[in-house]
Amino acid sequence: MDTLFSLQDQTAVLTGAGGVIGGAMAKALAARGARVAVLDLALDAAEKVAAAIREEGGEAIAVQANVLERESIEQAAAEVTKQFGPAQILVNGAGGNKKEATTAPDLSFFDLPPDALRWVFDLNFLGSVLPSQVFGRPMAERNEGVVINISSMNSFRPLTRILAYSGAKAAINNFTQWLAVHLNQGGASSVRVNAIAPGFFETTQNKFLLRDEKTGNLTPRGQQIVDHTPMGRFGEPDDLIGTLIWLVSPAAKFVTGIVVPVDGGFSAYSGV
Ligand code: NAD
């Protein structure tokens, strides 16, 4: 079992890892023995995660990177390679939604501003494609590596209100399959690409939809989500760890091009 799930001598890069889900994943990979590069647009957030990993005896560095700028990712990759060697694991964790791209009583579909829609679509789609280009190239050349994309429940069936976020996560599922096939057929027959589709987790990017800003109570939408989750709760970041370790370790060496829901049953429940 130790060999099957070992990450010894592996370098892992996680984007958006200053955030709630990416941060938990970074800590878990480090705890399994990987050297971890914590990438985020917010360097202070990345540094906090890297420091917490080092305090636990793990190996981690924080690197600032904007997943929407190829040059910024190239610079981060150079830094990671210098410190830890080429990455064998890439987790595309940067993503999120924002109010301006979300329909509301005072913002109809007909008035959603193109800039906000583009921002959300780019962050969640292009923001996984560009790091996969930069970190995926050496993986393809060395025929060694794993890419994990972070999808969402709304990739299978759109959720109300969050138009661009739903569309971009559906595109992520498609990209996961596309890149898996592309890399294998291009000669990198051992490189794998998979996605995790989390259910609902309370994090920075969705707080405004789940909790009332003033009271902190669940919004009607937050309550609806819990009611529609057979296990009756939001997910905790640790709920994602077992699936992550399985997908990035030799235990999943013949698994590629799949999207694994980790959702407390949300996607299985019709609502009746
Ligand atoms: P979060 O807001 O806690 O973390 C997102 C992180 O991404 C932040 O640290 C932010 O600084 C970083 N980031 C934003 N723009 C960036 C950029 N251009 N370049 C680099 N980093 C950038 O949110 P989270 O919920 O932990 O989100 C992590 C991933 O999980 C996202 O892809 C999100 O869509 C996905 N997800 C979240 C949920 C949920 O319920 N929270 C459900 C399904 C999927």
Side-chain angles (χ1 to χ4, degrees), residues 15-23 39-42 45 65-68 92-97 119 123-124 150-153 165 169 196-206 210:
T15 71
V20 177
I21 288 177
L39 271 55
D40 205 291
L41 188 59
N66 182 350
V67 293
L68 296 176
N92 284 312
N97 185 42
W119 186 93
L123 176 59
N124 290 283
I150 307 299
S151 180
S152 167
M153 282 301 106
Y165 187 66
K169 291 297 189 185
I196 296 174
F200 297 84
F201 295 68
E202 290 189 75
T203 63
T204 321
Q205 54 100 9
N206 60 12
L210 303 180

Side-chain angles (χ1 to χ4, degrees), residues 172-191:
I172 281 297
N173 291 6
N174 192 284
F175 172 57
T176 300
Q177 295 177 315
W178 186 91
L179 188 61
V181 173
H182 178 80
L183 291 174
N184 288 167
Q185 288 192 335
S189 57
S190 298
V191 178

